[in-house]
């Protein structure tokens, strides 16, 4: 039953000019939480709460300028950011906004609702118990996260179950039929938290009063733009300019020690106004701040990209009458992914890898064009799982050392193919049986092909390979001995 | 050298969730590979030994035996490390060399289970101080203890076992394990120990490896990917042929010496299970008597008492014959033991009666064990005991279900915990259980498992096989979740089928007791059952029967409790003392009631099928009742004997015999074979069977499950068919007999058993006929029992004119009672508090005590001031609308009750809410939820009048009591509340549903086609609205359904359904729960 579409003029849903304090906004695709206010809380997947009174005067000013209603002020903005499928409820209590939003989502409602409008208030009164209880599922998690005093999930659940049994026994179809009950009556019967929720839900002008508001930190992605005064195509010049840009970028971070970059986008405009986007990515989180003043690591990665780019452009445009290397006329460097790493984390690593200066290795890897890794044997008798690729220096003693099969990994080669290669007719001067093994038969439909015999095959040149034979007699090469 | 290998370490699937092969598969494979011996040593028990013995016995009897010998042992945990992977658990294998060793082994196993069923273990310190004579020990090449070659326990064990302590040496083609060989050889050298070669078998062939992995996933309750450390690295822990053994073990240094050691050990193992000497207890025998003479004495006394000192000659001859047989077979002490228990029960006023084949015995009758008078019936004692068969007799005795525990504790007390234990019941993975276990291991989420469970429980898919269920699940799942991760449906299906029949854990038999004259440890180990105060042996009923041990079945029968209560009520309310013996025979008004099928609540003839048969058979004497009880069973139904019997009985068909030789056998049943005994006699008379073979046939059809059906029963059926052909028996009759045999395999009655049950059925009918109010309260006060729910029983009572009074705060007791306002008036039934869901008897006791002191209550507040009840108890009373008589509506009372504790509430009564009055249907619905029934108007009548949701006009629908007036073969519309749904295996996919309306019952029959079309409605709706053709024979009717109507408008026209759906976490409330009958 969708009252909003069937019965009443939709405009009524957006009537009302009282400035709301909170908004709950849901968008099935994705949602940026900071569209209407810098103060937000993440409630669930793609569902955010905003506290609007932090920028109340800004909005009221805008409203005054545009001479429109509040709904007309917010709706185009929300449509712009979220598209057509959003549901937003504006009201004076976050819990009421959430409840009504649940109601609208479950009734396929879309758009903006001002809860304090008369019509929405009336609809709000019809919401049923299921809606009321369902909305509480996420609440419990937030109460735990907010360390709400005296809240225990298990006793809350049992109180909920008791209240559900009560309303089933008594046959009350909606909370509205019980609105005469005050929060104290509910508290007395079903505990403090259900009493509070009752108060948040149905008592006019109730404050937050224990509602678990957890403020979401805002993210800003730094970026810099450079317009060149003259076209440049020599790396020596580009390097100098990029170094300056990285320094500017560095300034945009406000917690230098914590903020690390995973990925940057370098958008270059060529001499012929062609735009090329290339990515500067780092194997480990990279701190511009720690790389001051030379920014060697970032510049190494930029140089590899530059070399690649020039090579590709030459290959593409070699027959055209162009300068030896296509000059750049402007670019933009934008951080795409960043990660906040607390300094304590680095200290922890430093202690653990006292002997080998782990940071230096990571920094070195960030500078290299290729990965720098090693392998470790693993506690599994499944060949596919008997090795793990790990960063250099992270080898640890095997946690499953006491399991008998872990030692069998020692017989396996250090280089193995991700996908075993079939061998048509294995010709070997020597064939040494190594072991009989299971594979992960439950991943295939045919459970009976679960046994493999592993051999070392030596060819005429003395090269040894690690191969297996299935139960059906087919041979596959799994690895090579060095 | 390897051609006659001796395998010393082998686990069956009775090493619960470890061994991955059935005993049969292991024995068959070892035998076919030409092994000289196989030693079974399951973890911490003797669970699989008897099964293996039975399998080997089968091979011997069928000339398939190639010389395999069975050795007996067990692998005992040395500490409670059962949660580790099997390869890391520290264990020791003990093998019995002789009977003394076997007894010692059982003693150690019983001790290992001292703290319960799980985590059985035998500390090394205890073992080192134990008697291990007749045992030798093997240290498996597994566990952590093995890794320490310098450990002192090797020397200690060598000394304890007097040098008979060996190391196991296994080779499984895995380098990690191969390294252990070196350690084992070094340990052997260091401690001067011998080692024996063993494959350390956990499954019979390599294909079972996946089952082994699956069991580990189930055992650890994880998905496959998370428990790989529990898997064996490969599939080599199986039984290998000689050439593979040669290749594997001939590289081991000293292998010849080791094989020679195995040979000699095998020769030293002189124990077999058939050596177990077994005797029943004899303490009830007074001085100066032996078992036989005392039995003779008791029989003589019983004859005088039962036949008033004038025993018929026939009986004396029969008793003499039986006593001779009992003496020859040495069974006297068994009869005395059962007599002792029954006599004790009688002295305690506990109603009891023997059932089953024991009712064929005149000795049992005169001893008071059974009630079937041999003077009235032609019973076949050989069905019970035969010289040729020599099998132990099996006496099943029913006791009142509410007092059976007293009997069980008496047995423990009389014979001691070491000499009495209950028989085990092996719980196996079946259907839904195996699908669920495999699904979990494959990583199916809870939602999917619930969906599977729903499909598998659906009547439509029940028994339809794993494949159909998985395919239905796949279709539903892929339709609902097109983007969901891929699931290995085929693997799910295959593994579930492989897991089917695997033992899951050990349960307890419903009543089987094993008693012995010496401690049971001499025979087999025991362990504490999960039910407090009971101990259980490790073998099932089939196992102990195969070994010739006796058991007595202490069964419970709800109807006996009801009858005993009914006698008490009749004495109390009507001042008439009745007993089973004093109920008059051949009471015509009772038979008149039976013929009208007014049998709701009585014993045996109350089911829908039985009730529809009664007006056709019109039982007029006791033997008719015996036929009635026996004929509605899968055996006779599959033998297609019902219609011919009815036709002959009603004179529509002449009584003929397929062969003259069969006339004496079939005379009493009008030429039709109905009972098991008749099938046996026919096999002897015209099937070329000896008496022994006929008994074998009976035993097979009685005791083997479907899995063994083909292997064990088919050869006998082929022989029977051939024999009948050779004896020129009419092919049609031969076919009928064979069909019946197959039916008996599922469920068929021996005549003696039918007679025993009919005695109780008749008694219950007599009580219902003459004292209906007392009868109904006795049934209601014995719940749970029987076929019908309390609601159905109360509705039936109401239709029979008995007034029902509601549960009352000021008048009701825990039990239902009879009340009348004046001595001239008829008794009415006052419902008791026992109907109220969630209310305990202790609370009711408290209420009644307070009520006497307070002289009743006039208000809710007054009540709660007097009775300080827990909140859930108080709300249970409020939900049952009990405070209406104190002036508060259900809603008001509930609102007040939820605010308990009460004192502060009384200070500030919160009645701010103005509760809406309940609608009629809503009120009924709440009654059902609160106390399983409602005394208000029938819900069907209310729906018809006020909330009719179906597309067909309500005026078209008929009521049940008008069916008799309507013409047969016409379409009629019926609407009612679903009472019972049945789809018996013998009905070839037909589904039967009983509906109830305000006037009586509708019997609906759904063909498989119609059911498959409407099964979602039939399975899930509490009310059904149907149209179908009325079929009638005499006074019985059924409606062959053509169509089921769904709601025309929204389902919320029936609040009963809507509320059940909307309250997710509440246990769904079914109006009526159909129960299986005995």
């Amino acid at each position: 039953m969708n009252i909003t579409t069937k019965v009443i003029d939709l405009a009524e849903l957006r009537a009302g000019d009282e400035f709301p304090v909170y908004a709950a906004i849901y968008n099935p695709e994705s949602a940026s939480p900071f569209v209407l206010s810098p103060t937000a809380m993440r409630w669930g997947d793609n569902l955010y709460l905003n506290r609007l009174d932090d920028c109340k005067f800004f909005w009221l000013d805008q409203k005054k300028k545009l001479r429109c209603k509040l709904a007309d002020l917010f709706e185009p903005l929300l449509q712009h950011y979220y598209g057509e499928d959003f549901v937003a409820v504006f009201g004076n209590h976050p819990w009421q906004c959430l409840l009504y939003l649940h109601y609208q989502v479950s009734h396929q409602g879309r758009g903006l609702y001002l809860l304090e409008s008369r019509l929405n208030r009336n609809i709000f009164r019809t919401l049923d118990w299921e809606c009321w209880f369902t909305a509480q599922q996420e609440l419990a998690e937030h109460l735990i996260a907010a360390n709400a005093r005296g809240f225990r999930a298990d006793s809350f659940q049992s109180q909920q179950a008791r209240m559900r049994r009560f309303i089933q026994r008594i046959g009350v179809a909606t909370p509205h039929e019980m609105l005469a009950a005050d929060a104290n009556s509910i508290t007395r019967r079903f505990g403090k938290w259900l009493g509070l929720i009752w108060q948040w839900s149905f008592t006019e002008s109730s404050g937050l009063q224990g509602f678990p508001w957890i403020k979401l930190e805002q993210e800003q992605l730094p970026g810099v733009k450079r317009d060149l005064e003259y076209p440049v195509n020599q790396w020596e010049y580009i390097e100098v300019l990029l170094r300056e840009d990285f320094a500017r970028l560095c300034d945009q971070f406000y917690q230098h020690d914590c903020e690390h970059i995973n990925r940057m986008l370098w958008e270059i405009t060529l001499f012929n106004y062609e735009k090329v986007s290339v990515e500067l990515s780092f194997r480990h989180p990279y701190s511009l701040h720690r790389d001051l003043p030379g920014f060697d690591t970032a510049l190494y990665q930029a140089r590899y990209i530059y070399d690649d780019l020039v090579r590709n452009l030459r290959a593409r445009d070699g027959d055209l009458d162009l300068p030896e290397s296509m000059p750049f006329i402007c670019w933009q460097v934008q951080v795409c992914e960043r990660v906040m790493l607390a300094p304590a984390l680095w200290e922890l690593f430093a202690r653990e890898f006292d002997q080998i200066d782990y940071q230096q290795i990571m920094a070195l890897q960030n500078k290299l064009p290729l990965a720098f890794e090693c392998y470790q044997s693993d506690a599994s008798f499944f060949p596919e799982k008997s090795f793990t690729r790990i960063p250099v220096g992270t080898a640890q003693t095997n946690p499953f050392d006491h399991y008998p099969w872990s030692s069998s990994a020692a017989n396996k080669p250090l280089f193995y193919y991700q996908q075993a290669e079939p061998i048509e007719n294995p010709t070997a001067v020597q064939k040494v049986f190594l072991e009989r093994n299971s594979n992960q038969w439950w991943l295939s439909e045919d459970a009976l092909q679960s046994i493999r015999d592993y051999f070392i095959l030596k060819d005429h040149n003395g090269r040894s390979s690690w191969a297996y034979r299935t139960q059906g007699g087919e041979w596959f090469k799994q690895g090579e001995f060095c | 050298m390897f051609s006659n290998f001796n395998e010393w370490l082998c686990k069956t699937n009775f090493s619960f969730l470890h061994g991955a092969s059935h005993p049969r598969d292991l024995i068959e494979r070892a035998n076919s590979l030409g092994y000289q011996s196989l030693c079974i040593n399951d973890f911490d028990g003797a669970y699989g030994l008897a099964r293996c013995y039975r399998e080997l016995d089968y091979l011997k009897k069928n000339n398939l035996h190639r010389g395999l010998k069975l050795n007996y042992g067990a692998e005992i945990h040395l500490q409670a490390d059962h949660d580790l992977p099997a390869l890391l658990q520290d264990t020791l294998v003990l093998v019995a060399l002789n009977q003394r060793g076997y007894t010692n082994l059982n003693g150690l196993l019983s001790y290992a289970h001292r703290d319960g069923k799980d985590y059985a273990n035998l500390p090394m310190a205890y073992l080192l101080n134990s008697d291990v004579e007749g045992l030798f020990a093997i240290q498996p090449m597994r566990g952590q203890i093995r890794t320490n070659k310098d450990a002192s326990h090797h020397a200690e064990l060598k000394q304890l076992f007097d040098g008979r302590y060996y190391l196991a040496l296994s080779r499984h083609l895995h380098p990690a394990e191969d390294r252990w060989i070196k350690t084992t050889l070094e340990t052997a050298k260091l401690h001067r120990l011998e080692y024996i070669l063993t494959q350390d078998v956990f499954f019979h062939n390599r294909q079972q490896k996946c089952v082994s992995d699956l069991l580990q996933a189930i055992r650890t309750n994880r998905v496959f990917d998370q428990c790989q450390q529990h898997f064996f690295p490969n599939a080599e822990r199986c039984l290998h042929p000689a050439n593979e053994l040669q290749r594997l073990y001939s590289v081991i240094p000293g292998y010849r010496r080791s094989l020679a050691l195995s040979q000699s050990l095998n020769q030293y193992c002189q124990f077999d299970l058939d050596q177990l000497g077994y005797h029943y207890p004899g303490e009830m025998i007074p001085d100066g008597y032996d078992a036989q003479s005392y039995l003779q004495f008791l029989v003589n006394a019983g004859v005088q008492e039962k036949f008033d000192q004038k025993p018929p000659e026939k009986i004396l001859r029969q008793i003499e014959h039986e006593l001779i047989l009992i003496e020859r077979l040495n069974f006297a002490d068994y009869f005395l033991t059962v007599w002792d228990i029954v006599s004790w029960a009688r002295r305690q006023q506990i109603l009891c009666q023997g059932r089953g084949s024991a009712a064929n015995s005149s000795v049992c009758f005169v001893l008071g064990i059974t009630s079937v008078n041999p003077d009235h019936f032609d019973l076949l004692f050989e069905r019970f005991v035969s010289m040729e068969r020599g099998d132990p007799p099996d006496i099943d005795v029913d006791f009142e279900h509410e007092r059976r525990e007293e009997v069980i504790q008496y047995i423990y007390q009389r014979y001691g915990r070491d000499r009495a234990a209950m028989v085990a019941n092996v719980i196996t993975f079946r259907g839904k259980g195996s699908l669920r276990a495999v699904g979990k291991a494959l990583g199916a989420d809870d939602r999917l498992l619930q969906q599977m469970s729903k499909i598998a429980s659906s009547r439509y898919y029940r028994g339809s096989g794993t494949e159909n269920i998985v395919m239905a699940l796949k279709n539903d799942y892929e339709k609902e979740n097109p983007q969901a991760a891929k699931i290995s449906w085929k693997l799910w299906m295959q593994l579930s089928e492989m897991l089917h029949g695997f033992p899951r854990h050990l349960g307890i038999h419903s009543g089987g007791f094993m008693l012995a004259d010496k401690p049971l440890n001499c025979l087999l180990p025991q362990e504490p059952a999960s039910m407090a105060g009971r101990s259980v042996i490790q073998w099932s009923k089939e196992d102990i029967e195969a070994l010739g041990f006796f058991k007595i079945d202490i069964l419970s029968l709800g109807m006996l409790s009801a009858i005993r209560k009914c006698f008490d009520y009749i004495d109390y309310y009507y001042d008439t003392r009745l007993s089973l013996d004093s109920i008059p025979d051949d009471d015509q008004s009772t038979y008149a009631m039976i013929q009208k099928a007014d049998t709701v609540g009585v014993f045996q003839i109350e089911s829908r099928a039985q009730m529809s048969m009664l007006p056709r058979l019109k039982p007029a004497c006791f033997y008719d009742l015996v036929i009635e009880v026996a004929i509605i069973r899968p055996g006779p139904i599959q033998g297609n004997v019902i219609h011919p019997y009815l036709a002959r009985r009603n004179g529509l068909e002449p009584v003929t015999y397929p062969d003259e030789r069969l006339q004496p056998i079939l005379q009493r049943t009008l030429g039709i074979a109905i009972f098991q005994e008749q099938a046996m006699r026919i096999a002897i008379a015209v099937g070329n069977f000896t008496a022994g073979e006929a008994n074998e046939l009976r035993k097979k059809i009685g005791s083997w499950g479907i899995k063994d059906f083909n292997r064990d029963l088919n050869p006998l059926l082929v022989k029977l068919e051939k024999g009948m052909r050779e004896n020129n028996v009419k092919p049609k009759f031969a076919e009928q007999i064979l069909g019946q045999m197959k039916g008996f395999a599922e469920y068929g009655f021996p005549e003696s058993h039918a007679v025993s049950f009919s005695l109780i059925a008749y008694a219950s009918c007599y009580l219902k006929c003459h004292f209906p109010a007392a009868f109904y309260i006795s049934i209601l006060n014995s719940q749970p029992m029987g076929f019908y729910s309390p609601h159905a029983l109360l509705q039936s009572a109401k239709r029979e004119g008995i007034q029902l009074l509601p549960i009352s705060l000021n008048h009701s007791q825990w039990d239902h009672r009879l009340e009348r306002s004046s001595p001239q008036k008829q008794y009415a039934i006052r419902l008791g508090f026992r109907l109220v869901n969630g209310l305990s008897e202790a609370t009711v006791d408290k209420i009644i005590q307070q009520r006497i002191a307070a002289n009743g209550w006039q208000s809710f507040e007054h009540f709660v001031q007097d009775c300080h009840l827990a909140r859930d108890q108080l709300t249970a009373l409020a939900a049952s609308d009990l405070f209406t008589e104190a002036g508060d509506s259900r809603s008001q009372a509930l609102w007040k009750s939820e605010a308990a504790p009460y004192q502060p509430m009384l200070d500030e009564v919160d009645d701010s809410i103005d509760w809406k009055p309940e609608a009629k249907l809503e009120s009924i619905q709440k009654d059902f939820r609160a106390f399983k029934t409602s005394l208000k108007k029938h819900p069907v009548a209310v729906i018809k009048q006020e909330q009719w949701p179906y597309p067909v006009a309500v005026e078209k629908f008929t009521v049940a009591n008008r069916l008799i007036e309507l013409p047969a073969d016409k379409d009629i519309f019926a609407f009612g509340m679903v009472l019972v749904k049945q789809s018996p295996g013998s009905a070839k996919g037909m589904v039967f549903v009983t509906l109830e309306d305000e006037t009586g019952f509708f019997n609906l029959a759904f063909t498989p086609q119609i059911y498959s079309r409407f099964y979602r409605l039939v399975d899930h709706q509490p009310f059904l609205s149907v149209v179908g053709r009325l079929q009638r024979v005499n006074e019985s009717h059924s409606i062959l359904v053509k169509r089921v109507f769904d709601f025309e408008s929204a389902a919320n026209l029936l609040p009963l359904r809507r509320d059940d759906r909307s309250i997710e976490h509440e246990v769904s409330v079914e109006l009526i729960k159909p129960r299986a009958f005995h």
Side-chain angles (χ1 to χ4, degrees), chain B residues 613-633:
Chain B
M613 183 72 181
L614 288 170
R616 292 195 276 166
L617 188 75
K618 292 198 178 298
C621 65
F622 184 72
Y623 198 74
D624 288 347
L625 212 51
V626 176
I627 301 269
E628 170 74 32
V629 165
I631 205 164
I632 305 292
R633 303 284 155 194

Coordinates of all heavy atoms in Angstrom, one line a residue, chain B residues 613-633:
Chain B
M613 N -12.5 -47.0 7.3 CA -12.7 -48.4 7.1 C -13.8 -49.0 8.0 O -14.5 -49.9 7.7 CB -11.4 -49.1 7.5 CG -11.4 -50.6 7.2 SD -11.4 -51.0 5.5 CE -11.4 -52.8 5.6
L614 N -14.0 -48.4 9.2 CA -14.9 -48.9 10.2 C -16.4 -49.1 9.7 O -17.0 -50.2 9.8 CB -14.9 -48.1 11.5 CG -13.6 -48.2 12.3 CD1 -13.6 -47.1 13.4 CD2 -13.5 -49.6 12.9
P615 N -17.0 -48.1 9.0 CA -18.3 -48.3 8.5 C -18.4 -49.3 7.4 O -19.5 -49.9 7.2 CB -18.7 -46.9 8.0 CG -17.7 -45.9 8.5 CD -16.5 -46.7 8.8
R616 N -17.3 -49.6 6.8 CA -17.4 -50.6 5.8 C -17.2 -52.0 6.4 O -17.8 -53.0 6.0 CB -16.2 -50.4 4.7 CG -16.5 -49.1 3.9 CD -15.6 -49.0 2.7 NE -14.3 -48.5 3.0 CZ -13.3 -48.6 2.2 NH1 -13.4 -49.2 1.0 NH2 -12.1 -48.1 2.6
L617 N -16.3 -52.1 7.3 CA -16.0 -53.4 7.9 C -17.1 -53.8 9.0 O -17.4 -54.9 9.2 CB -14.6 -53.4 8.6 CG -14.1 -54.8 9.1 CD1 -13.7 -55.7 7.9 CD2 -12.9 -54.6 10.0
K618 N -17.6 -52.8 9.6 CA -18.6 -52.9 10.7 C -18.3 -54.0 11.7 O -18.9 -55.0 11.8 CB -20.0 -53.2 10.0 CG -20.6 -52.1 9.3 CD -22.1 -52.2 9.1 CE -22.7 -51.1 8.3 NZ -22.6 -49.8 9.0
P619 N -17.2 -53.7 12.4 CA -16.8 -54.8 13.4 C -17.9 -55.1 14.4 O -18.5 -54.1 15.0 CB -15.6 -54.1 14.2 CG -15.2 -53.0 13.3 CD -16.4 -52.5 12.5
A620 N -18.2 -56.3 14.6 CA -19.3 -56.7 15.5 C -18.8 -57.7 16.6 O -19.6 -58.0 17.4 CB -20.4 -57.4 14.7
C621 N -17.5 -58.1 16.5 CA -17.0 -58.9 17.6 C -15.5 -58.6 17.7 O -15.0 -57.8 16.9 CB -17.2 -60.4 17.2 SG -16.3 -60.9 15.8
F622 N -14.9 -59.2 18.7 CA -13.5 -58.8 19.0 C -12.6 -59.2 17.8 O -11.7 -58.4 17.5 CB -13.1 -59.5 20.3 CG -11.7 -59.1 20.7 CD1 -11.4 -57.9 21.2 CD2 -10.6 -60.0 20.5 CE1 -10.1 -57.5 21.5 CE2 -9.3 -59.6 20.8 CZ -9.1 -58.3 21.4
Y623 N -12.8 -60.3 17.2 CA -11.9 -60.7 16.1 C -12.0 -59.7 14.9 O -11.0 -59.5 14.2 CB -12.1 -62.2 15.7 CG -10.9 -62.7 14.9 CD1 -9.8 -63.0 15.6 CD2 -11.0 -62.8 13.5 CE1 -8.6 -63.5 14.9 CE2 -9.9 -63.2 12.8 CZ -8.7 -63.6 13.5 OH -7.6 -64.0 12.8
D624 N -13.2 -59.2 14.7 CA -13.3 -58.1 13.7 C -12.4 -57.0 14.0 O -11.8 -56.3 13.1 CB -14.8 -57.6 13.6 CG -15.7 -58.7 13.0 OD1 -15.2 -59.7 12.4 OD2 -16.9 -58.5 13.1
L625 N -12.3 -56.7 15.3 CA -11.5 -55.5 15.7 C -10.0 -55.9 15.4 O -9.2 -55.0 15.0 CB -11.7 -55.3 17.2 CG -11.6 -53.9 17.7 CD1 -12.5 -52.9 16.9 CD2 -12.0 -53.8 19.2
V626 N -9.7 -57.1 15.6 CA -8.3 -57.6 15.4 C -8.0 -57.4 13.9 O -6.9 -56.9 13.5 CB -8.1 -59.1 15.8 CG1 -6.7 -59.6 15.4 CG2 -8.4 -59.2 17.3
I627 N -8.9 -57.8 13.0 CA -8.8 -57.6 11.6 C -8.6 -56.2 11.2 O -7.8 -55.7 10.5 CB -10.0 -58.2 10.8 CG1 -10.2 -59.7 11.2 CG2 -9.9 -58.0 9.3 CD1 -9.5 -60.7 10.3
E628 N -9.5 -55.4 11.8 CA -9.5 -53.9 11.6 C -8.2 -53.3 11.9 O -7.6 -52.5 11.1 CB -10.6 -53.3 12.4 CG -10.6 -51.7 12.4 CD -11.1 -51.1 11.1 OE1 -12.0 -51.7 10.5 OE2 -10.5 -50.0 10.8
V629 N -7.6 -53.7 13.0 CA -6.3 -53.1 13.5 C -5.2 -53.6 12.5 O -4.3 -52.8 12.2 CB -6.0 -53.6 14.9 CG1 -4.5 -53.4 15.3 CG2 -6.9 -52.9 15.9
A630 N -5.3 -54.8 12.0 CA -4.2 -55.3 11.2 C -4.3 -55.0 9.7 O -3.3 -54.9 9.0 CB -4.1 -56.9 11.4
I631 N -5.5 -54.7 9.3 CA -5.7 -54.7 7.8 C -5.2 -53.3 7.3 O -4.8 -53.2 6.1 CB -7.1 -55.0 7.4 CG1 -7.1 -55.6 6.0 CG2 -8.1 -53.9 7.6 CD1 -8.4 -56.3 5.6
I632 N -5.4 -52.3 8.1 CA -5.0 -50.9 7.6 C -3.5 -50.8 7.9 O -3.1 -50.0 8.8 CB -5.8 -49.8 8.2 CG1 -7.3 -50.0 7.9 CG2 -5.4 -48.4 7.6 CD1 -7.7 -49.9 6.5
R633 N -2.7 -51.5 7.2 CA -1.2 -51.4 7.4 C -0.6 -51.5 6.0 O -1.2 -52.1 5.1 CB -0.7 -52.6 8.2 CG -1.3 -52.7 9.5 CD -0.7 -51.7 10.5 NE -1.7 -51.4 11.5 CZ -1.7 -50.4 12.4 NH1 -0.7 -49.5 12.3 NH2 -2.6 -50.3 13.3

